[in-house]
PDB file of all heavy atoms in Angstrom:
ATOM      1  N   GLU A 248     117.968  58.240 270.974  1.00 96.00           N
ATOM      2  CA  GLU A 248     116.526  58.466 270.940  1.00 96.00           C
ATOM      3  C   GLU A 248     115.932  58.020 269.604  1.00 96.00           C
ATOM      4  O   GLU A 248     114.845  57.431 269.560  1.00 96.00           O
ATOM      5  CB  GLU A 248     116.231  59.950 271.177  1.00 96.00           C
ATOM      6  CG  GLU A 248     114.753  60.304 271.167  1.00 96.00           C
ATOM      7  CD  GLU A 248     114.509  61.788 271.346  1.00 96.00           C
ATOM      8  OE1 GLU A 248     115.495  62.542 271.572  1.00 96.00           O
ATOM      9  OE2 GLU A 248     113.343  62.220 271.244  1.00 96.00           O
ATOM     10  N   LEU A 249     116.652  58.281 268.522  1.00 97.00           N
ATOM     11  CA  LEU A 249     116.157  57.914 267.196  1.00 97.00           C
ATOM     12  C   LEU A 249     116.087  56.399 267.038  1.00 97.00           C
ATOM     13  O   LEU A 249     115.128  55.870 266.454  1.00 97.00           O
ATOM     14  CB  LEU A 249     117.063  58.518 266.123  1.00 97.00           C
ATOM     15  CG  LEU A 249     116.577  58.430 264.672  1.00 97.00           C
ATOM     16  CD1 LEU A 249     115.206  59.083 264.526  1.00 97.00           C
ATOM     17  CD2 LEU A 249     117.587  59.100 263.741  1.00 97.00           C
ATOM     18  N   VAL A 250     117.086  55.678 267.559  1.00 97.00           N
ATOM     19  CA  VAL A 250     117.041  54.220 267.520  1.00 97.00           C
ATOM     20  C   VAL A 250     115.820  53.712 268.286  1.00 97.00           C
ATOM     21  O   VAL A 250     115.112  52.801 267.836  1.00 97.00           O
ATOM     22  CB  VAL A 250     118.329  53.607 268.102  1.00 97.00           C
ATOM     23  CG1 VAL A 250     118.201  52.081 268.214  1.00 97.00           C
ATOM     24  CG2 VAL A 250     119.529  53.961 267.238  1.00 97.00           C
ATOM     25  N   GLY A 251     115.547  54.321 269.442  1.00 96.00           N
ATOM     26  CA  GLY A 251     114.382  53.934 270.221  1.00 96.00           C
ATOM     27  C   GLY A 251     113.074  54.168 269.471  1.00 96.00           C
ATOM     28  O   GLY A 251     112.144  53.351 269.548  1.00 96.00           O
ATOM     29  N   LYS A 252     113.001  55.265 268.738  1.00 96.00           N
ATOM     30  CA  LYS A 252     111.794  55.565 267.966  1.00 96.00           C
ATOM     31  C   LYS A 252     111.592  54.549 266.847  1.00 96.00           C
ATOM     32  O   LYS A 252     110.465  54.129 266.567  1.00 96.00           O
ATOM     33  CB  LYS A 252     111.876  56.971 267.391  1.00 96.00           C
ATOM     34  CG  LYS A 252     111.695  58.080 268.426  1.00 96.00           C
ATOM     35  CD  LYS A 252     111.771  59.454 267.779  1.00 96.00           C
ATOM     36  CE  LYS A 252     111.532  60.555 268.807  1.00 96.00           C
ATOM     37  NZ  LYS A 252     111.621  61.908 268.204  1.00 96.00           N
ATOM     38  N   GLU A 253     112.681  54.160 266.183  1.00 95.00           N
ATOM     39  CA  GLU A 253     112.571  53.156 265.129  1.00 95.00           C
ATOM     40  C   GLU A 253     112.132  51.810 265.711  1.00 95.00           C
ATOM     41  O   GLU A 253     111.360  51.076 265.092  1.00 95.00           O
ATOM     42  CB  GLU A 253     113.907  53.011 264.394  1.00 95.00           C
ATOM     43  CG  GLU A 253     114.262  54.188 263.516  1.00 95.00           C
ATOM     44  CD  GLU A 253     113.217  54.453 262.446  1.00 95.00           C
ATOM     45  OE1 GLU A 253     112.925  53.548 261.642  1.00 95.00           O
ATOM     46  OE2 GLU A 253     112.656  55.574 262.427  1.00 95.00           O
ATOM     47  N   ASP A 254     112.609  51.517 266.904  1.00 94.00           N
ATOM     48  CA  ASP A 254     112.219  50.273 267.568  1.00 94.00           C
ATOM     49  C   ASP A 254     110.717  50.283 267.882  1.00 94.00           C
ATOM     50  O   ASP A 254     110.029  49.271 267.721  1.00 94.00           O
ATOM     51  CB  ASP A 254     113.036  50.100 268.848  1.00 94.00           C
ATOM     52  CG  ASP A 254     112.812  48.750 269.515  1.00 94.00           C
ATOM     53  OD1 ASP A 254     112.891  47.730 268.803  1.00 94.00           O
ATOM     54  OD2 ASP A 254     112.540  48.721 270.723  1.00 94.00           O
ATOM     55  N   GLN A 255     110.210  51.429 268.319  1.00 94.00           N
ATOM     56  CA  GLN A 255     108.786  51.549 268.625  1.00 94.00           C
ATOM     57  C   GLN A 255     107.942  51.552 267.360  1.00 94.00           C
ATOM     58  O   GLN A 255     106.821  51.033 267.343  1.00 94.00           O
ATOM     59  CB  GLN A 255     108.533  52.821 269.436  1.00 94.00           C
ATOM     60  CG  GLN A 255     109.147  52.812 270.821  1.00 94.00           C
ATOM     61  CD  GLN A 255     108.993  54.144 271.530  1.00 94.00           C
ATOM     62  OE1 GLN A 255     108.456  55.107 270.980  1.00 94.00           O
ATOM     63  NE2 GLN A 255     109.467  54.214 272.765  1.00 94.00           N
ATOM     64  N   ARG A 256     108.475  52.117 266.295  1.00 93.00           N
ATOM     65  CA  ARG A 256     107.721  52.249 265.047  1.00 93.00           C
ATOM     66  C   ARG A 256     107.523  50.905 264.363  1.00 93.00           C
ATOM     67  O   ARG A 256     106.514  50.678 263.698  1.00 93.00           O
ATOM     68  CB  ARG A 256     108.462  53.228 264.118  1.00 93.00           C
ATOM     69  CG  ARG A 256     107.676  53.632 262.883  1.00 93.00           C
ATOM     70  CD  ARG A 256     108.230  54.924 262.308  1.00 93.00           C
ATOM     71  NE  ARG A 256     109.528  54.773 261.681  1.00 93.00           N
ATOM     72  CZ  ARG A 256     109.701  54.648 260.370  1.00 93.00           C
ATOM     73  NH1 ARG A 256     108.663  54.624 259.560  1.00 93.00           N
ATOM     74  NH2 ARG A 256     110.913  54.532 259.861  1.00 93.00           N
ATOM     75  N   HIS A 257     108.496  49.996 264.526  1.00 93.00           N
ATOM     76  CA  HIS A 257     108.432  48.693 263.861  1.00 93.00           C
ATOM     77  C   HIS A 257     108.361  47.604 264.928  1.00 93.00           C
ATOM     78  O   HIS A 257     109.389  47.089 265.388  1.00 93.00           O
ATOM     79  CB  HIS A 257     109.651  48.492 262.961  1.00 93.00           C
ATOM     80  CG  HIS A 257     109.816  49.558 261.920  1.00 93.00           C
ATOM     81  ND1 HIS A 257     108.913  49.748 260.905  1.00 93.00           N
ATOM     82  CD2 HIS A 257     110.779  50.501 261.758  1.00 93.00           C
ATOM     83  CE1 HIS A 257     109.304  50.760 260.143  1.00 93.00           C
ATOM     84  NE2 HIS A 257     110.432  51.229 260.634  1.00 93.00           N
ATOM     85  N   THR A 258     107.142  47.234 265.302  1.00 90.00           N
ATOM     86  CA  THR A 258     106.956  46.282 266.401  1.00 90.00           C
ATOM     87  C   THR A 258     107.382  44.863 266.030  1.00 90.00           C
ATOM     88  O   THR A 258     107.559  44.017 266.923  1.00 90.00           O
ATOM     89  CB  THR A 258     105.486  46.264 266.837  1.00 90.00           C
ATOM     90  OG1 THR A 258     104.657  45.955 265.705  1.00 90.00           O
ATOM     91  CG2 THR A 258     105.076  47.630 267.387  1.00 90.00           C
ATOM     92  N   ASP A 259     107.543  44.604 264.748  1.00 91.00           N
ATOM     93  CA  ASP A 259     107.974  43.262 264.330  1.00 91.00           C
ATOM     94  C   ASP A 259     109.493  43.137 264.284  1.00 91.00           C
ATOM     95  O   ASP A 259     110.027  42.105 263.884  1.00 91.00           O
ATOM     96  CB  ASP A 259     107.376  42.899 262.975  1.00 91.00           C
ATOM     97  CG  ASP A 259     107.566  44.002 261.933  1.00 91.00           C
ATOM     98  OD1 ASP A 259     108.127  45.067 262.292  1.00 91.00           O
ATOM     99  OD2 ASP A 259     107.146  43.810 260.776  1.00 91.00           O
ATOM    100  N   LEU A 260     110.190  44.200 264.679  1.00 93.00           N
ATOM    101  CA  LEU A 260     111.649  44.190 264.703  1.00 93.00           C
ATOM    102  C   LEU A 260     112.159  44.639 266.064  1.00 93.00           C
ATOM    103  O   LEU A 260     111.528  45.453 266.742  1.00 93.00           O
ATOM    104  CB  LEU A 260     112.217  45.131 263.628  1.00 93.00           C
ATOM    105  CG  LEU A 260     112.014  44.715 262.169  1.00 93.00           C
ATOM    106  CD1 LEU A 260     112.441  45.848 261.243  1.00 93.00           C
ATOM    107  CD2 LEU A 260     112.781  43.440 261.842  1.00 93.00           C
ATOM    108  N   ASP A 261     113.298  44.094 266.464  1.00 94.00           N
ATOM    109  CA  ASP A 261     113.993  44.526 267.682  1.00 94.00           C
ATOM    110  C   ASP A 261     115.286  45.228 267.291  1.00 94.00           C
ATOM    111  O   ASP A 261     116.114  44.659 266.572  1.00 94.00           O
ATOM    112  CB  ASP A 261     114.321  43.328 268.578  1.00 94.00           C
ATOM    113  CG  ASP A 261     113.128  42.866 269.390  1.00 94.00           C
ATOM    114  OD1 ASP A 261     112.193  43.668 269.564  1.00 94.00           O
ATOM    115  OD2 ASP A 261     113.134  41.701 269.841  1.00 94.00           O
ATOM    116  N   PHE A 262     115.468  46.473 267.755  1.00 96.00           N
ATOM    117  CA  PHE A 262     116.664  47.265 267.482  1.00 96.00           C
ATOM    118  C   PHE A 262     117.554  47.243 268.726  1.00 96.00           C
ATOM    119  O   PHE A 262     117.091  47.570 269.822  1.00 96.00           O
ATOM    120  CB  PHE A 262     116.305  48.707 267.143  1.00 96.00           C
ATOM    121  CG  PHE A 262     115.682  48.878 265.791  1.00 96.00           C
ATOM    122  CD1 PHE A 262     114.380  48.454 265.553  1.00 96.00           C
ATOM    123  CD2 PHE A 262     116.389  49.476 264.752  1.00 96.00           C
ATOM    124  CE1 PHE A 262     113.791  48.606 264.300  1.00 96.00           C
ATOM    125  CE2 PHE A 262     115.813  49.636 263.501  1.00 96.00           C
ATOM    126  CZ  PHE A 262     114.512  49.200 263.273  1.00 96.00           C
ATOM    127  N   ARG A 263     118.814  46.872 268.542  1.00 96.00           N
ATOM    128  CA  ARG A 263     119.761  46.839 269.660  1.00 96.00           C
ATOM    129  C   ARG A 263     120.934  47.752 269.341  1.00 96.00           C
ATOM    130  O   ARG A 263     121.624  47.581 268.343  1.00 96.00           O
ATOM    131  CB  ARG A 263     120.263  45.420 269.907  1.00 96.00           C
ATOM    132  CG  ARG A 263     121.250  45.310 271.072  1.00 96.00           C
ATOM    133  CD  ARG A 263     121.529  43.855 271.420  1.00 96.00           C
ATOM    134  NE  ARG A 263     122.503  43.740 272.497  1.00 96.00           N
ATOM    135  CZ  ARG A 263     123.793  43.468 272.318  1.00 96.00           C
ATOM    136  NH1 ARG A 263     124.252  43.271 271.095  1.00 96.00           N
ATOM    137  NH2 ARG A 263     124.624  43.375 273.345  1.00 96.00           N
ATOM    138  N   LEU A 264     121.135  48.733 270.216  1.00 97.00           N
ATOM    139  CA  LEU A 264     122.227  49.700 270.070  1.00 97.00           C
ATOM    140  C   LEU A 264     123.285  49.423 271.120  1.00 97.00           C
ATOM    141  O   LEU A 264     122.976  49.273 272.298  1.00 97.00           O
ATOM    142  CB  LEU A 264     121.693  51.124 270.236  1.00 97.00           C
ATOM    143  CG  LEU A 264     122.721  52.247 270.422  1.00 97.00           C
ATOM    144  CD1 LEU A 264     123.556  52.427 269.162  1.00 97.00           C
ATOM    145  CD2 LEU A 264     122.033  53.554 270.809  1.00 97.00           C
ATOM    146  N   THR A 265     124.555  49.341 270.697  1.00 95.00           N
ATOM    147  CA  THR A 265     125.669  49.240 271.640  1.00 95.00           C
ATOM    148  C   THR A 265     126.662  50.351 271.357  1.00 95.00           C
ATOM    149  O   THR A 265     126.765  50.846 270.245  1.00 95.00           O
ATOM    150  CB  THR A 265     126.383  47.877 271.549  1.00 95.00           C
ATOM    151  OG1 THR A 265     126.927  47.713 270.230  1.00 95.00           O
ATOM    152  CG2 THR A 265     125.419  46.742 271.846  1.00 95.00           C
ATOM    153  N   GLY A 266     127.396  50.739 272.378  1.00 91.00           N
ATOM    154  CA  GLY A 266     128.365  51.813 272.266  1.00 91.00           C
ATOM    155  C   GLY A 266     128.145  52.827 273.376  1.00 91.00           C
ATOM    156  O   GLY A 266     127.304  52.603 274.252  1.00 91.00           O
ATOM    157  N   PRO A 267     128.854  53.922 273.373  1.00 93.00           N
ATOM    158  CA  PRO A 267     129.825  54.334 272.336  1.00 93.00           C
ATOM    159  C   PRO A 267     131.123  53.533 272.396  1.00 93.00           C
ATOM    160  O   PRO A 267     131.643  53.258 273.469  1.00 93.00           O
ATOM    161  CB  PRO A 267     130.074  55.805 272.682  1.00 93.00           C
ATOM    162  CG  PRO A 267     129.788  55.910 274.157  1.00 93.00           C
ATOM    163  CD  PRO A 267     128.696  54.936 274.441  1.00 93.00           C
ATOM    164  N   TRP A 268     131.601  53.169 271.210  1.00 94.00           N
ATOM    165  CA  TRP A 268     132.833  52.410 271.053  1.00 94.00           C
ATOM    166  C   TRP A 268     133.905  53.255 270.365  1.00 94.00           C
ATOM    167  O   TRP A 268     133.592  54.226 269.680  1.00 94.00           O
ATOM    168  CB  TRP A 268     132.600  51.177 270.179  1.00 94.00           C
ATOM    169  CG  TRP A 268     131.518  50.251 270.632  1.00 94.00           C
ATOM    170  CD1 TRP A 268     130.321  50.034 270.021  1.00 94.00           C
ATOM    171  CD2 TRP A 268     131.542  49.402 271.780  1.00 94.00           C
ATOM    172  NE1 TRP A 268     129.591  49.100 270.722  1.00 94.00           N
ATOM    173  CE2 TRP A 268     130.317  48.698 271.804  1.00 94.00           C
ATOM    174  CE3 TRP A 268     132.482  49.165 272.779  1.00 94.00           C
ATOM    175  CZ2 TRP A 268     130.001  47.773 272.795  1.00 94.00           C
ATOM    176  CZ3 TRP A 268     132.163  48.243 273.769  1.00 94.00           C
ATOM    177  CH2 TRP A 268     130.944  47.556 273.769  1.00 94.00           C
ATOM    178  N   PRO A 269     135.167  52.860 270.506  1.00 94.00           N
ATOM    179  CA  PRO A 269     136.195  53.418 269.622  1.00 94.00           C
ATOM    180  C   PRO A 269     135.832  53.099 268.170  1.00 94.00           C
ATOM    181  O   PRO A 269     135.090  52.149 267.911  1.00 94.00           O
ATOM    182  CB  PRO A 269     137.475  52.690 270.063  1.00 94.00           C
ATOM    183  CG  PRO A 269     137.204  52.260 271.480  1.00 94.00           C
ATOM    184  CD  PRO A 269     135.727  51.943 271.515  1.00 94.00           C
TER     185      PRO A 269
END
Side-chain angles (χ1 to χ4, degrees):
E248 180 182 355
L249 190 57
V250 173
K252 287 181 178 179
E253 289 301 303
D254 187 49
Q255 294 174 358
R256 189 160 71 99
H257 303 295
T258 56
D259 49 358
L260 291 171
D261 280 339
F262 288 73
R263 180 170 178 260
L264 167 66
T265 61
W268 304 111

